[in-house]
Amino acid sequence: MTQGKVLPCAFEASWHRSCTLWGMNRKAIAQAVFRRLGLGLVALLGPGSVSAAPDPGTATNVVSSTGVELIAFEAPGCIYCPVFRRDVAPTYATSRAGKTAPLRFIDINDTAADSFKLTSPVTIVPTLILVRDGVEIGRIAGYVGRENMHRILNALLPAE
């Protein structure tokens, strides 16, 4: 183990040697911290980030003919929920997944969240749960990015 100055790690709120071992310098740490703060500020100051109430422009209450839909569970104060709405929701309807499973947003604290038969409780927001007739058939916990989300959803969706 090399002896070096202990630097703050950008991934934890503690001081330890791992950052010097990973080769991170103060500039890289500052950039990572500002990136995280920037996402938080976007979520706090961005439009529609005050609550997790459904946005009529991106939510749909239409259930597909197969009974499959994608439920996006959100919570007030979630910093990634507005990022998901900004990056994924506008183009979702035109994707293969959007044509097969319409997207619906539900606040995790709403009583409508209890109406689904889930395999386990939702502990991370946003969580996307693919349901057929109200029964969970797949889940993506957390925001994984637009491309990864579409890849995972295509694997979870029933064959055409």
Side-chain angles (χ1 to χ4, degrees):
M1 178 183 234
T2 61
Q3 297 294 326
K5 189 187 244 183
V6 177
L7 298 174
C9 179
F11 305 105
E12 297 178 18
S14 62
W15 291 79
H16 53 81
R17 295 188 187 284
S18 63
C19 287
T20 56
L21 296 176
W22 292 341
M24 292 181 74
N25 59 25
R26 289 181 191 262
K27 183 178 178 183
I29 292 167
Q31 288 172 344
V33 169
F34 285 124
R35 234 180 283 123
R36 285 177 176 232
L37 286 174
L39 279 177
L41 289 175
V42 165
L44 288 174
L45 302 175
S49 62
V50 176
S51 72
D55 178 11
T58 57
T60 178
N61 290 325
V62 177
V63 178
S64 71
S65 60
T66 60
V68 177
E69 66 180 323
L70 182 66
I71 308 298
F73 286 95
E74 300 180 310
C78 166
I79 63 169
Y80 291 105
C81 295
V83 176
F84 172 80
R85 284 179 178 259
R86 181 196 68 207
D87 292 350
V88 178
T91 59
Y92 177 78
T94 59
S95 69
R96 173 185 173 251
K99 293 173 184 165
T100 306
L103 177 62
R104 181 163 45 136
F105 292 93
I106 294 182
D107 187 318
I108 193 71
N109 302 310
D110 191 1
T111 56
D114 299 330
S115 65
F116 299 99
K117 294 179 182 157
L118 304 178
T119 57
S120 61
V122 175
T123 56
I124 297 172
V125 292
T127 290
L128 304 174
I129 299 184
L130 194 61
V131 296
R132 177 182 287 132
D133 300 323
V135 179
E136 179 178 345
I137 58 173
R139 163 185 308 222
I140 302 172
Y143 178 57
V144 295
R146 181 178 42 221
E147 293 83 16
N148 289 330
M149 189 220 50
H150 283 292
R151 237 180 259 123
I152 296 168
L153 273 177
N154 285 334
L156 292 174
L157 284 170
E160 293 181 313

